[in-house]
Amino acid sequence: DGGITQSPKYLFRKEGQNVTLSCEQNLNHDAMYWYRQDPGQGLRLIYYSQIVNDFQKGDIAEGYSVSREKKESFPLTVTSAQKNPTAFYLCASSPDTSKGSYEQYFGPGTRLTVT
Amino acid sequence: AQTVTQSQPEMSVQEAETVTLSCTYDTSESDYYLFWYKQPPSRQMILVIRQEAYKQQNATENRFSVNFQKAAKSFSLKISDSQLGDAAMYFCAYKPPRQTGANNLFFGTGTRLTVIP
């Protein structure tokens, strides 16, 4: 089945440790995105990538890093510099927007808890 | 920066009745895209409906329809014949036009919909 997978569903880390969240898609989409969701604040964009080996910062990129070495994969690393990393993280992808399709498709999310 | 406002943090509706969720947005662009997403307790974001700003006709998907008022920058979602499975958080989202180079979505803070049996 085509779709977006995120793993793990729940992740626990100690403060000061870096952690990497996985996002894989087999939809052949060009663009991929990472959002953070906190209670009462909706979704906020962390990073996005429109093509392989290229990515741009979103509104809240500080303390996060990404890579896009393959079209299918867009992992997010939450570094120890992120001051409040506990949140729900959602990965999304969308087709080549130059071809006129603009909606984003989301993965099931990863709940990260840092103590 | 783009802003999307959902002024109703919570709404409730009786099963089989109709409910309307409100959304307003701020933009200086004329060609953009609007979406409603549903987030059930599983937290998976599901696209409900989309609207292109250049289209005057309101989008409809089965029991879901929108009232798009471009001049007022309003984009409300109407759910008809509400079902228990409609209970979820609903997010309104705005996407800037392609020529701006911005492909990301700007989300409102959501409306929690409760369906009463």
Side-chain angles (χ1 to χ4, degrees):
Chain A
D1 285 355
I4 303 173
T5 57
Q6 292 185 243
S7 60
K9 189 175 178 67
Y10 299 97
L11 190 54
F12 298 88
R13 279 294 182 270
K14 296 286 189 187
E15 194 173 326
Q17 292 179 337
N18 291 354
V19 59
T20 297
L21 281 59
S22 168
C23 178
E24 304 277 332
Q25 54 99 359
N26 60 4
L27 300 168
N28 199 33
H29 286 173
D30 292 296
M32 297 186 74
Y33 312 81
W34 274 106
Y35 292 91
R36 171 181 170 138
Q37 185 177 24
D38 294 285
Q41 294 193 44
L43 278 70
R44 293 181 291 167
L45 182 69
I46 305 173
Y47 267 99
Y48 67 101
S49 167
Q50 298 191 55
I51 56 172
V52 174
N53 293 323
D54 185 53
F55 46 83
Q56 287 79 40
K57 293 182 179 180
D59 298 324
I60 55 166
E62 185 176 349
Y64 299 97
S65 66
V66 293
S67 63
R68 186 88 186 275
E69 297 176 1
K70 298 187 300 182
K71 187 175 184 177
E72 302 80 18
S73 178
F74 190 42
L76 173 74
T77 297
V78 184
T79 74
S80 56
Q82 167 51 232
K83 300 210 184 315
N84 187 18
T86 294
F88 187 64
Y89 291 88
L90 284 157
C91 179
S93 70
S94 66
D96 179 3
T97 55
S98 68
K99 296 187 171 75
S101 182
Y102 303 102
E103 57 262 34
Q104 294 182 11
Y105 299 86
F106 286 81
T110 293
R111 172 68 183 177
L112 173 64
T113 302
V114 177
T115 58
Chain B
Q2 318 298 338
T3 57
V4 178
T5 303
Q6 293 180 250
S7 59
Q8 306 154 316
E10 296 184 354
M11 291 282 286
S12 62
V13 62
Q14 205 77 32
E15 194 176 2
E17 296 296 310
T18 296
V19 64
T20 299
L21 309 184
S22 301
C23 173
T24 58
Y25 55 94
D26 182 30
T27 184
S28 58
E29 305 288 345
S30 61
D31 186 18
Y32 48 86
Y33 305 85
L34 296 164
F35 305 89
W36 277 98
Y37 280 88
K38 169 185 178 180
Q39 188 179 43
S42 67
R43 304 198 77 173
Q44 173 89 50
M45 294 284 282
I46 302 164
L47 178 66
V48 174
I49 200 164
R50 58 176 279 180
Q51 174 80 43
E52 292 89 344
Y54 65 85
K55 290 185 178 179
Q56 293 185 336
Q57 187 172 6
N58 289 324
T60 299
E61 288 287 343
N62 301 315
R63 296 182 296 107
F64 298 87
S65 62
V66 298
N67 182 6
F68 173 48
Q69 300 290 326
K70 191 171 183 177
K73 298 179 185 176
S74 171
F75 183 60
S76 60
L77 175 70
K78 185 170 85 170
I79 306 174
S80 304
D81 186 26
S82 296
Q83 300 176 359
L84 295 177
D86 295 333
M89 282 288 287
Y90 286 82
F91 291 94
C92 178
Y94 165 93
K95 186 198 167 303
R98 176 160 46 99
Q99 55 266 33
T100 65
N103 285 324
N104 56 292
L105 299 175
F106 295 88
F107 286 87
T109 52
T111 296
R112 182 174 301 281
L113 179 67
T114 300
V115 180
I116 303 165

